[in-house]
């Protein structure tokens, strides 16, 4: 099935009790049983909910996986993956990833005896260099947030597979429209559905998708035991969001390309980080594993003082100054003080994330208005 058809029909069947074409919001905590233990497959809503079930099926379908699991946020989905591990186990993670993932790893899980090693995964040899028999999981993000670095998923999957470790890919930035990590050998795909999947900045949610039934059982056990499940209304919103993913992503890609070209030609802009430039170091790999390059990008100004960056960040009229990304509306963000403030400054600078970096989530408004807005803000 082609993507457009898949996204519109994924997971949703007419409701069996009424024929309602849209999956109803089953706002219930429990289900009446005919006799003790005799039920219709639903017992208690932390374990099962029909709206969530439709969405979990949709997640599986749009990531070409067998099983989907929905969580109350992206970080709750990440949290569930790390809970597969035991004290003493080691995780190799990318050194340039979502700040909240880094915070969860270093501030929450390290104290339970799980060890994290951070390497530059754009060169998979850096992973081979530190992998050991203790390594149980490799965690990557591609393109990365916010520097748009690219990691070769297929190459890392081969390394993980050889070592008997799982590979989990945070696919939030690409969305399933641009990239499907399971097809490239990953074991688990994670999304912050808060971003492109929901697509309208109105819900917090996360998901995991996998092919292996045993892995699904383990993660389902964690989902129901730890209880970070989304409510049915939130599941309904993401189900609705997914139906237009292809249309939105097409426009994000078109607008992204035009904005990146505009910034690159602007005399006051120093560097533009966007993986669709043919001279981007990850371009060859990106063109191999992605269907397009999306609307996420970062840039620095020639006057690279923090004051100048702050001035631009505060002067846009259409771009809203906010954390998050992937919604229909354009957002501008200052990683150093906003999304990535949880990473120590030293670490940030070492990884190339300077204090003056500005990140854009280019939305699907008219591109002429978006360019005019950024042009005026740069001044
Ligand atoms: C937002 C985000 C997360 C965290 O997801 P939440 O839904 O905010 O919990 C994880 N990874 C990436 C790349 C993100 O952008």
């Amino acid at each position: 099935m082609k993507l457009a058809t898949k996204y519109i029909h994924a997971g949703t069947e007419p409701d069996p009790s009424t024929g309602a074409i849209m999956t109803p919001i089953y706002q219930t905590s429990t289900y009446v049983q005919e006799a003790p233990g005799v039920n219709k497959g639903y017992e208690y809503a932390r374990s099962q909910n029909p709206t969530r079930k439709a969405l979990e099926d949709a997640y599986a379908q749009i990531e070409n996986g067998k099983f989907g699991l929905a969580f109350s946020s992206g970080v709750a989905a990440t949290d569930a993956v790390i809970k597969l591990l035991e004290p003493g186990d080691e995780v190799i993670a990318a050194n340039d990833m979502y700040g909240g993932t880094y915070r969860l790893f270093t501030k929450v899980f390290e104290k339970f005896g799980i060890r994290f090693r951070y390497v530059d995964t754009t060169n998979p040899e850096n992973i081979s260099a530190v992998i050991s028999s203790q390594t149980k999981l490799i965690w990557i993000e591609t393109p990365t947030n916010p520097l748009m670095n690219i990691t070769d998923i297929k190459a890392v999957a081969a390394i993980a597979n050889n070592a008997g470790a799982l590979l989990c890919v945070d696919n939030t930035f690409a969305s399933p429209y641009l990239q499907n990590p399971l097809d490239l050998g990953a074991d688990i795909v994670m999304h912050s559905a808060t971003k492109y999947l929901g697509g309208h900045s109105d819900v917090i949610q996360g998901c995991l998708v996998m092919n292996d039934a045993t892995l699904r059982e383990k993660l389902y056990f964690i989902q129901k035991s730890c209880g970070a499940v989304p409510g049915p209304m939130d599941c309904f919103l993401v189900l609705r969001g997914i139906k237009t993913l292809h249309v939105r992503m097409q426009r994000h890609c078109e607008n992204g390309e035009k904005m990146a070209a505009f910034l690159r030609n602007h005399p006051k802009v120093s560097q533009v980080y966007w993986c669709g430039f043919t001279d981007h170091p990850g371009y060859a790999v990106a063109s191999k594993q992605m269907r397009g390059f999306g609307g996420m990008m970062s840039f620095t100004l020639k006057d690279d003082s923090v004051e100048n960056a702050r001035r631009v960040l505060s002067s846009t009229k259409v771009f809203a100054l906010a954390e998050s990304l992937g919604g229909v509306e354009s957002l501008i963000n200052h990683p150093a003080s906003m999304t990535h403030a949880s990473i120590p400054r030293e670490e940030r600078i070492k990884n190339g994330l300077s204090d003056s970096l500005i990140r854009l989530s280019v939305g699907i408004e008219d591109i002429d208005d978006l360019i005019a807005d950024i042009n005026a803000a740069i001044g």
Side-chain angles (χ1 to χ4, degrees), residues 114-246:
I114 295 169
R115 296 174 51 208
F116 297 88
R117 279 166 170 268
Y118 302 94
V119 302
D120 175 358
T121 59
T122 59
N123 181 357
E125 281 173 21
N126 294 334
I127 298 175
S128 306
V130 296
I131 205 161
S132 75
S133 57
Q134 305 303 114
T135 309
K136 296 290 153 47
L137 175 72
I138 300 177
W139 185 281
I140 61 171
E141 219 181 286
T142 179
T144 62
N145 177 8
L147 291 171
M148 308 306 295
N149 288 320
I150 301 293
T151 291
D152 187 333
I153 298 173
K154 223 177 204 172
V156 178
I159 295 169
N161 207 23
N162 268 339
L166 294 172
L167 170 62
C168 183
V169 180
D170 180 340
N171 204 28
T172 302
F173 260 45
S175 91
Y177 179 79
L178 298 180
Q179 176 172 278
N180 300 113
L182 296 182
D183 292 347
L184 301 164
D187 299 287
I188 307 171
V189 178
M190 174 264 164
H191 279 279
S192 167
T194 310
K195 318 295 168 53
Y196 287 108
L197 297 179
H200 295 75
S201 308
D202 52 10
V203 66
I204 294 281
Q205 194 174 132
C207 75
L208 300 174
V209 182
M210 69 252 42
N211 276 316
D212 185 80
T214 312
L215 188 55
R216 188 263 171 200
E217 279 317 301
K218 288 182 185 165
L219 288 164
Y220 172 63
F221 180 80
I222 293 167
Q223 183 199 41
K224 77 174 176 192
S225 303
C226 301
V229 291
M233 176 74 194
D234 288 357
C235 292
F236 175 87
L237 287 171
V238 180
L239 267 173
R240 180 155 87 167
I242 289 172
K243 287 178 191 294
T244 55
L245 179 64
H246 53 295

Side-chain angles (χ1 to χ4, degrees), residues 275-292:
C275 58
F277 290 132
T278 53
D279 58 357
H280 182 286
Y283 181 77
V285 174
S287 338
K288 205 174 59 176
Q289 68 190 17
M290 297 173 75
R291 300 183 192 92

